[in-house]
Amino acid sequence: MPVLSLRKISKNFGAIKALTDVDLELEPGEVLGLMGDNGAGKSTLVKIIAGNFPPTSGELVLQDRPMHFHRPAEAREAGIEVVYQDLALCDNLSAAANIFLGREIARSIWPLKFLVSKDMTDKAGALFGELKSETRPHDLVRRMSGGQRQAVAISRTMLSEAKIVLMDEPTAAISVRQVAEVLDLIRRLKDRGIAIVLISHRMPDVFAVCDRVAVLRRGRKVAEKPIVQSSPEEVTGLITGAIQHA
Amino acid sequence: MPDTEAGATHPDIGDIRIEDVVGIKEQTAFERVISSQAFWVTIALIGIVALMSYLQPDAFASQANAYNMTRNFAYIGIMAVGMVAVIITGGIDLSVGSIMGVTGVVCGILLQAQYGWYIAVVAGLATGVVTGLINGLLIAYAGLSPFVVTLGMMSFARSIAIVLSENKMIYDFGPDGAAFKIIGGGQMLGLSNIFWALIILAVLIGVILKFTTWGRHLYAIGGNEQAARLTGVPVNRVKTQAYILSALTASIAAILVVGWQGSAINALGTSYELRVIASTVIGGANLMGGEGGTYGAVVGAALLEVIRNSLLMQGIDSNWQGAFVGVFIVLAVLLEKIRGRRRA
Ligand SMILES: Nc1ncnc2c1ncn2[C@@H]1O[C@H](COP(=O)(O)OP(=O)(O)O)[C@@H](O)[C@H]1O
Ligand SMILES: [Mg+2]
């Protein structure tokens, strides 16, 4: 049974048709590569799944239950976590503070909630350990490399029992060496049975970690197939329109 | 991040960083302290006090002068520890001086009308809460710029103070006047109540900033408001509360100062907002948001007062004060910038 099914999802921004009748299914523990040129509608699709805004039409079904998210918090409660393109981290806070941002472990002494820093630091350390990342809980995000920032953003998704993690261009703007780190992080999430949607422009990354690939072109899904039955050449053709359908 | 470039082009050098080479794993508490602006401002403060105590042992280092100086910076400090919450979110509150004015007048009128001292205190605090709430709602929910909203409130509140007072000084405080005056005019252990109020508020707000979720959320909003929103931080509510806190501390300062001076004038607090903001910035708060603390705000306020007092004692024309204060503000920001560059 798929964890997530999208049925005939469309999204218009005024006159712009960002998405048209997109169907998509996601199985548990599967990594789906979502590819397409700039403006193809990838981020829009991710934002709909994440509850940033509702689709103009179409249905979003999570484990047999139709969902209507109005806020990102609702999607998160349903088990959908997002690693945003710009990572959405606070540079001035520590790694642990970022992981627990908005859901701090706290002891309530009315009217205040006191942070239980030790528990958060320990848990953050355990998550980094699990990801085999060298990131340290106390380090300020401002001082981190791109790969370490990714580890922080990804650890955040592991805090809750997420079923689905959406990653928008996690390997854009980081070095080759750090890309390998991030791909490892993705494999570890997959091992935990989490379904992942990976948006990437980088063909090698998609072919390294994805089980299936879906291609969007001008808001329409033009292909969806197992990665082993495709090739970088075919996907490139689908993205540019040289190949119409697959 | 130059090390990422190096990692890509020289794989053998990789991501080796200074910290790894010299074996420093994490910034120690000691390093954190000496890299903080508040630390250096404290050193400057101690230096000036030591120098002045040497130059003017009788006048400067006297018990009376210590009493005066601690009282004079205390009410600016009280406002500064509230202001710092707003500045941490990346906002600004220009209305604190005027809120002080209107609070003073409200207290004065009630005392003059024979109401009890506690009625005057509660009404004064309520004045702060209401003005802060208006600021906060307009900034957080209507999305208006903090600069513009609080500039408007600065003008509005001052005008209300003048209208309510009918442009007269209020000094006939009625039967509870004596009790009200003790709050702000009294002393304990040789220091003014206003100073003790500052210490209590600085510790209390300091603890809230560093050890509660609310404080954490203030820093998060100042660091990356969009990220805070996406992760479910109640950004609008927290911001509104920060402006309420700032206005509330201005009202507390007003209640204490009116009690100390024994009269309420509508001009109370005029131009204090600049001294308050200067105190927080000198103490290490970043006007771009995300950084600052109550200890810094207090030593910043203390430094400004010690400079003012020292110039006076050295017989330097008091008109030079502004110039010195200006130089210190710019120096503080420059220092912050240099440290920021080294960090990056
Ligand atoms: N909030 C928005 N308002 C108006 N148009 C938008 C908005 N978000 C995206 N679009 C438009 O929708 C289309 C798809 O954008 P997007 O999903 O960001 O593409 P991708 O992530 O694949 O590059 C583009 O034409 C873009 O300009
Ligand atoms: Mg995009």
Side-chain angles (χ1 to χ4, degrees), chain A residues 82-200:
Chain A
V82 190
V83 177
Y84 288 94
Q85 194 158 10
D86 48 13
L87 295 179
L89 299 177
C90 294
D91 268 7
N92 58 329
L93 298 180
S94 69
N98 267 286
I99 291 175
F100 283 91
L101 192 58
R103 45 189 163 184
E104 292 83 2
I105 301 177
R107 201 167 290 135
S108 199
I109 303 177
W110 194 89
L112 297 170
K113 293 200 188 87
F114 285 88
L115 300 165
V116 186
S117 296
K118 181 162 188 321
D119 290 6
M120 292 192 276
T121 308
D122 291 350
K123 177 79 185 164
L127 289 175
F128 291 138
E130 212 172 310
L131 290 172
K132 303 201 168 42
S133 166
E134 287 167 16
T135 311
R136 294 176 300 241
H138 282 298
D139 282 357
L140 284 183
V141 167
R142 186 192 290 138
R143 298 163 166 236
M144 288 182 183
S145 69
Q148 288 177 313
R149 284 161 183 261
Q150 284 294 340
V152 175
I154 290 170
S155 301
R156 189 147 78 190
T157 69
M158 294 164 64
L159 252 197
S160 57
E161 293 300 305
K163 300 185 196 83
I164 299 169
V165 173
L166 310 170
M167 307 179 90
D168 196 348
E169 306 264 10
T171 51
I174 59 176
S175 73
V176 176
R177 178 197 184 101
Q178 291 164 354
V179 167
E181 263 176 58
V182 172
L183 296 181
D184 274 342
L185 295 176
I186 293 172
R187 290 192 190 95
R188 300 222 168 79
L189 287 182
K190 176 181 155 73
D191 291 344
R192 291 165 63 115
I194 296 168
I196 296 158
V197 177
L198 172 66
I199 294 185
S200 179

Side-chain angles (χ1 to χ4, degrees), chain B residues 102-114:
Chain B
V102 73
T103 301
V105 168
V106 164
C107 292
I109 287 173
L110 289 171
L111 290 168
Q112 194 177 33
Q114 321 270 312

